[in-house]
Amino acid sequence: MNEEMATIVKNKTWEMVNLPNGKETNGLKWIFKIKYNEDGSVKKYKARLVAKEYSQLPGVDFPEMFAPVARMETI
């Protein structure tokens, strides 16, 4: 988690601002995943911090949407 937070800060993913009057913050949650080698041993631990999407309103909580794009290797 510390590595993920350090990356978020380093990449300036977020900008800290004061919360406007009458607004509430969106919730966050950590997603944890373990990557394994072919022999079943642990390759690495991954953690992602994500917004709880179900509580956001398009145009209110965010101005644009992100659509993931497939990499050529996966097609």
Side-chain angles (χ1 to χ4, degrees):
M1 289 187 330
N2 291 335
E3 185 178 325
E4 178 72 8
M5 288 301 295
T7 302
I8 288 170
V9 171
K10 183 182 112 190
N11 292 336
K12 299 180 182 176
T13 302
W14 297 325
E15 179 181 338
M16 295 292 280
V17 296
N18 292 325
L19 189 63
N21 292 331
K23 297 290 181 178
E24 294 181 17
T25 59
N26 289 324
L28 300 172
K29 64 180 176 179
W30 283 99
I31 304 293
F32 299 101
K33 197 173 209 179
I34 301 173
K35 295 284 193 168
Y36 296 96
N37 291 315
E38 290 181 14
D39 64 358
S41 62
V42 174
K43 182 177 183 179
K44 64 180 169 179
Y45 297 95
K46 295 181 78 175
R48 291 185 297 144
L49 183 62
V50 296
K52 291 184 179 178
E53 188 176 329
Y54 55 82
S55 66
Q56 297 180 0
L57 299 173
V60 176
D61 294 318
F62 55 92
E64 58 189 45
M65 297 179 82
F66 171 76
V69 177
R71 296 185 316 207
M72 290 304 292
E73 307 91 58
T74 61
I75 295 178

